[in-house]
Short mmCIF file of all heavy atoms in Angstrom, two decimals:
data_model
loop_
_atom_site.label_atom_id
_atom_site.label_comp_id
_atom_site.label_asym_id
_atom_site.label_seq_id
_atom_site.Cartn_x
_atom_site.Cartn_y
_atom_site.Cartn_z
N PRO L 889 185.68 184.52 126.51
CA PRO L 889 186.09 183.89 125.31
C PRO L 889 187.36 183.20 125.39
O PRO L 889 188.25 183.56 126.17
CB PRO L 889 186.30 185.05 124.25
CG PRO L 889 186.04 186.29 125.04
CD PRO L 889 185.57 185.97 126.44
N GLN L 934 211.25 203.19 122.03
CA GLN L 934 210.47 204.28 122.61
C GLN L 934 210.29 205.39 121.51
O GLN L 934 209.20 205.94 121.33
CB GLN L 934 211.08 204.82 123.84
CG GLN L 934 210.21 205.60 124.73
CD GLN L 934 210.87 205.94 126.05
OE1 GLN L 934 211.61 205.16 126.63
NE2 GLN L 934 210.73 207.13 126.51
N ASN L 937 207.94 204.20 118.67
CA ASN L 937 206.55 204.15 119.02
C ASN L 937 205.96 205.57 119.25
O ASN L 937 204.75 205.81 119.12
CB ASN L 937 206.33 203.28 120.31
CG ASN L 937 206.21 201.84 120.03
OD1 ASN L 937 205.96 201.50 118.91
ND2 ASN L 937 206.49 201.04 121.06
N PRO L 941 200.51 205.90 116.00
CA PRO L 941 199.27 205.82 116.81
C PRO L 941 199.22 204.55 117.64
O PRO L 941 200.01 203.64 117.39
CB PRO L 941 198.13 205.67 115.76
CG PRO L 941 198.83 205.34 114.44
CD PRO L 941 200.33 205.84 114.59
N VAL L 942 198.46 204.58 118.76
CA VAL L 942 198.60 203.54 119.73
C VAL L 942 198.35 202.17 119.19
O VAL L 942 198.96 201.16 119.58
CB VAL L 942 197.61 203.84 120.96
CG1 VAL L 942 196.21 203.84 120.51
CG2 VAL L 942 197.90 202.87 122.08
N ARG L 945 201.62 200.54 117.74
CA ARG L 945 202.84 200.49 118.55
C ARG L 945 203.36 199.07 118.55
O ARG L 945 202.63 198.11 118.49
CB ARG L 945 202.56 200.95 119.98
CG ARG L 945 202.35 202.47 120.08
CD ARG L 945 202.21 202.87 121.59
NE ARG L 945 201.70 204.24 121.54
CZ ARG L 945 201.03 204.76 122.59
NH1 ARG L 945 200.85 204.05 123.71
NH2 ARG L 945 200.60 206.02 122.51
N ARG L 990 193.41 182.70 129.54
CA ARG L 990 192.85 183.16 130.83
C ARG L 990 192.04 181.94 131.40
O ARG L 990 191.33 181.34 130.76
CB ARG L 990 191.90 184.35 130.59
CG ARG L 990 192.61 185.53 130.01
CD ARG L 990 191.86 186.77 130.17
NE ARG L 990 191.76 187.18 131.56
CZ ARG L 990 192.69 187.77 132.26
NH1 ARG L 990 193.87 188.04 131.70
NH2 ARG L 990 192.49 188.10 133.57
N ARG L 1022 192.77 183.58 122.23
CA ARG L 1022 191.80 183.82 123.32
C ARG L 1022 190.32 183.71 122.93
O ARG L 1022 189.49 183.37 123.73
CB ARG L 1022 192.07 185.21 124.04
CG ARG L 1022 193.54 185.29 124.43
CD ARG L 1022 193.67 185.78 125.80
NE ARG L 1022 195.02 185.65 126.30
CZ ARG L 1022 195.79 186.67 126.59
NH1 ARG L 1022 195.34 187.92 126.41
NH2 ARG L 1022 197.00 186.50 127.02
N ASP L 1043 206.14 190.60 131.90
CA ASP L 1043 206.91 191.60 132.61
C ASP L 1043 206.90 191.50 134.07
O ASP L 1043 207.64 192.16 134.65
CB ASP L 1043 206.40 192.99 132.05
CG ASP L 1043 205.99 192.87 130.62
OD1 ASP L 1043 206.77 192.45 129.79
OD2 ASP L 1043 204.83 193.28 130.32
N ARG L 1044 205.83 190.88 134.56
CA ARG L 1044 205.75 190.70 136.00
C ARG L 1044 206.07 189.18 136.43
O ARG L 1044 205.66 188.75 137.43
CB ARG L 1044 204.44 191.12 136.54
CG ARG L 1044 204.33 192.58 136.58
CD ARG L 1044 203.00 193.09 136.66
NE ARG L 1044 202.81 194.48 137.11
CZ ARG L 1044 203.09 195.51 136.27
NH1 ARG L 1044 203.41 195.33 135.07
NH2 ARG L 1044 202.93 196.76 136.69
N ASP T 1348 186.56 187.93 131.84
CA ASP T 1348 186.25 187.06 133.04
C ASP T 1348 186.39 187.78 134.41
O ASP T 1348 186.28 187.25 135.47
CB ASP T 1348 187.19 185.91 133.11
CG ASP T 1348 188.63 186.31 132.87
OD1 ASP T 1348 188.91 187.11 131.97
OD2 ASP T 1348 189.48 185.81 133.61
N ASP T 1359 197.88 197.33 141.96
CA ASP T 1359 198.45 197.14 140.65
C ASP T 1359 197.58 196.26 139.79
O ASP T 1359 197.47 195.11 140.02
CB ASP T 1359 199.88 196.57 140.82
CG ASP T 1359 200.56 196.29 139.43
OD1 ASP T 1359 199.91 196.27 138.37
OD2 ASP T 1359 201.78 196.21 139.42
N LEU T 1364 195.18 191.26 137.73
CA LEU T 1364 194.35 190.58 136.77
C LEU T 1364 195.12 189.74 135.76
O LEU T 1364 194.58 189.27 134.81
CB LEU T 1364 193.56 191.67 136.01
CG LEU T 1364 192.55 192.44 136.83
CD1 LEU T 1364 191.71 193.37 135.95
CD2 LEU T 1364 191.59 191.61 137.62
N SER T 1368 201.99 192.51 128.65
CA SER T 1368 202.13 193.75 127.84
C SER T 1368 201.23 193.77 126.66
O SER T 1368 200.83 194.93 126.24
CB SER T 1368 203.58 193.91 127.43
OG SER T 1368 203.96 192.83 126.63
N ASP T 1370 198.12 192.65 126.59
CA ASP T 1370 196.85 193.10 127.19
C ASP T 1370 196.88 194.54 127.48
O ASP T 1370 195.83 195.25 127.20
CB ASP T 1370 196.54 192.27 128.52
CG ASP T 1370 196.38 190.81 128.30
OD1 ASP T 1370 195.83 190.39 127.34
OD2 ASP T 1370 196.94 190.08 129.19
N GLU T 1385 195.37 209.02 123.37
CA GLU T 1385 196.34 207.95 123.11
C GLU T 1385 197.39 208.17 124.15
O GLU T 1385 198.21 209.15 124.00
CB GLU T 1385 196.97 208.03 121.75
CG GLU T 1385 195.83 207.77 120.74
CD GLU T 1385 196.31 207.27 119.35
OE1 GLU T 1385 197.50 207.46 119.08
OE2 GLU T 1385 195.53 206.69 118.61
N ILE T 1386 197.43 207.39 125.15
CA ILE T 1386 198.38 207.54 126.29
C ILE T 1386 199.75 207.19 125.84
O ILE T 1386 199.92 206.11 125.33
CB ILE T 1386 197.95 206.60 127.46
CG1 ILE T 1386 196.50 206.99 127.92
CG2 ILE T 1386 198.87 206.85 128.65
CD1 ILE T 1386 195.98 206.19 129.07
N GLU T 1388 203.57 206.02 125.84
CA GLU T 1388 204.27 204.92 126.52
C GLU T 1388 205.01 205.46 127.78
O GLU T 1388 205.12 204.76 128.81
CB GLU T 1388 205.22 204.16 125.65
CG GLU T 1388 204.53 203.20 124.71
CD GLU T 1388 205.57 202.36 123.99
OE1 GLU T 1388 206.62 202.83 123.69
OE2 GLU T 1388 205.25 201.21 123.72
N TYR T 1391 203.19 205.16 131.00
CA TYR T 1391 202.75 203.84 131.49
C TYR T 1391 203.23 203.52 132.86
O TYR T 1391 202.45 203.00 133.71
CB TYR T 1391 203.15 202.69 130.55
CG TYR T 1391 202.51 202.54 129.31
CD1 TYR T 1391 201.54 203.48 128.81
CD2 TYR T 1391 202.82 201.52 128.39
CE1 TYR T 1391 200.87 203.35 127.57
CE2 TYR T 1391 202.17 201.41 127.17
CZ TYR T 1391 201.27 202.28 126.72
OH TYR T 1391 200.61 202.22 125.52
N GLU T 1395 199.47 202.31 137.19
CA GLU T 1395 199.37 201.02 137.53
C GLU T 1395 198.03 200.58 138.12
O GLU T 1395 197.74 199.40 138.24
CB GLU T 1395 200.47 200.69 138.57
CG GLU T 1395 201.82 200.91 137.87
CD GLU T 1395 202.88 200.07 138.69
OE1 GLU T 1395 202.85 199.99 139.85
OE2 GLU T 1395 203.85 199.57 137.97
#
Side-chain angles (χ1 to χ4, degrees):
Chain L
Q934 201 172 318
N937 279 337
V942 63
R945 287 182 196 161
R990 299 198 65 78
R1022 302 233 172 110
D1043 325 307
R1044 284 164 164 76
Chain T
D1348 48 313
D1359 180 337
L1364 297 184
S1368 58
D1370 296 321
E1385 298 206 337
I1386 303 179
E1388 282 188 327
Y1391 288 3
E1395 294 205 323

